[in-house]
Amino acid sequence: MDGRIELIDATKEYKHAGSPPVSALNCVNLSIRQGEFVGMVGLNASGKTTLARMLNGLILPSRGKVLVNGLDTADLAQKKEIRRLVGMVFQNPDNQIINPIVEEEVAFAAENLNLSPAEVRRRVDWALEVSGLADLRHHAPQMLSGGQKQRLAVAAVLVMQPSYLVLDEPTSMLDEDGRYELIKTLQDLNRQQRLSIIMISHRMEEVAPAERIIVLHQGTVYLDGPPAEVFRSPRFALAGLKPPPIARLTNSLLRQGHPIDDRIVTLEQMVEFLCR
Amino acid sequence: MLLDPRSKMIMVICISSLALIYNTPARLLQLLLVTLVLLFIFSFNLRVIAGYLKPFVFLMFFLFVVQSIFSPGDRVILALGPVSLISIEGVLAGATVVLRLLVITAAAMLFTTFSSRDFILGLVQWKVPYEIAFMVSTALRFLPLFRDELKNVLTAIQLRGVDLKKVPWGKKMVMYRRLTFPVVYRNMLKAEQLAIAMEARAFRAYPQRTYLRQLNLQRVDYVVILLSLLVTFILIMRYIG
Ligand SMILES: Nc1ncnc2c1ncn2[C@@H]1O[C@H](COP(=O)(O)OP(=O)(O)OP(=O)(O)O)[C@@H](O)[C@H]1O
Ligand SMILES: [Mg+2]
């Protein structure tokens, strides 16, 4: 089994009676390897949510195909396995919490997978641990902060032991601290568990640490590559986007002839470079 | 007291059945006292009980007045010329309705002593299909959400400079009717998002489901359940017979 998600000519048109069809995605070809950390950006209505929901079959392409580790999302018989392989975290933490106690919320997905009670227990404990919620396990989710709620949403998906984690603007309702905690948790998961992260965001400094950035524009993949290249590309501005401050700093330093590593796009990288 | 949620459910059902069958204020008053004693046993205090019942006070008063006026009776207390307005029978009928409501709402407080999750678990272990138990508990959970949403919309209106207290009743009704759409719509959006989140987490992926926790009926539960059923049965038989 090859570990990757592949979109082949994936196209999505929304049709509603009485209004003209909306083309949300247009012939998208993409391949996301297992273990990759991918940031996805683009203006409003560029098709990000549509693409994200296609990755685990919540939305099926009108034309083209989506393969998850070789399994076609349109194949009903594979639905269970695809849902398990590709976990989803949504924007609003409050609308995805189903259970009244943190621990039970985390258990929900594992309970749905027909596992033994001991295995459910083991996975719940593990997920609570890696998302830093072990101390809050008996709390009511309403008592958590926004950042804790989103980490709860992550933990609630981790119990399925997915290979890919798709997050649709998970930080947009969080404050500075909450965003930091969540991103940190995601980076740890990516490095330690080799979990692929596909994260949508409107904040460039959040996707800058990713290995790869995909820019969507009017339903097509407009740019795709390492952050530094994507931020520097003239097409990035054409897609209506602005690089994060550090990338801009690196660029102007380069233009003024300073010998600086042109891959620097995050504050951490800049600090490390300057201290060397 | 640590009782299985199912024992509490049975108790609520027994009390409510008695409340529906009893038809005199005296009997219902006795039942209310028993219910209150039960609530004390489950460590509710008077303040909490009063706070819980407060939203219903207006409704109960309204029912009492309506019942008192519209129930016919011979022993007239208040008359408007030849038209009798309030009779002793009417007042008794009003008291019956109000007491009945009080007993049922007070008994329902027992439901707040366990989580909706235990409610599901209890039903499932009694062979109610998971989907149905889940639906019932989610519906119960959506009621407060509905109220919150209504509050949000009302706040939005007040922020636009409408003083709700000064709006006459007729206009208020029209306004509430207009609010129905946004409130229902927003709740539907929430429900839809919840459904997507559940689907993404393999809800109903397999016919079998594992449960992290198991509820176990203890000996005290069996005693409580049997006793509740037995006492209720005897009381009903005696009352009817
Ligand atoms: N359920 C739907 N029915 C009809 N049209 C839709 C639906 N969902 C999305 N669209 C349309 O598809 C296009 C892409 O929407 P999508 O939600 O994927 O964008 P997005 O990049 O996630 O935007 P945002 O940054 O606002 O979240 C938009 O034009 C949108 O109006
Ligand atoms: Mg979106």
Side-chain angles (χ1 to χ4, degrees), chain B residues 119-147:
Chain B
F119 178 81
I120 298 182
L121 220 51
L123 290 178
V124 165
Q125 285 181 260
W126 269 351
K127 303 280 178 274
V128 175
Y130 174 71
E131 286 81 1
I132 292 182
F134 189 88
M135 256 162 46
V136 172
S137 100
T138 307
L140 289 177
R141 214 178 66 119
F142 254 84
L143 286 180
L145 280 185
F146 217 80
R147 192 194 52 202

Side-chain angles (χ1 to χ4, degrees), chain A residues 43-50 52-53 91 168-169 200 202:
Chain A
L43 295 182
N44 289 138
S46 56
K48 303 181 297 295
T49 298
T50 305
R53 293 192 177 184
Q91 181 173 15
D168 192 350
E169 298 188 35
I200 297 177
H202 284 290

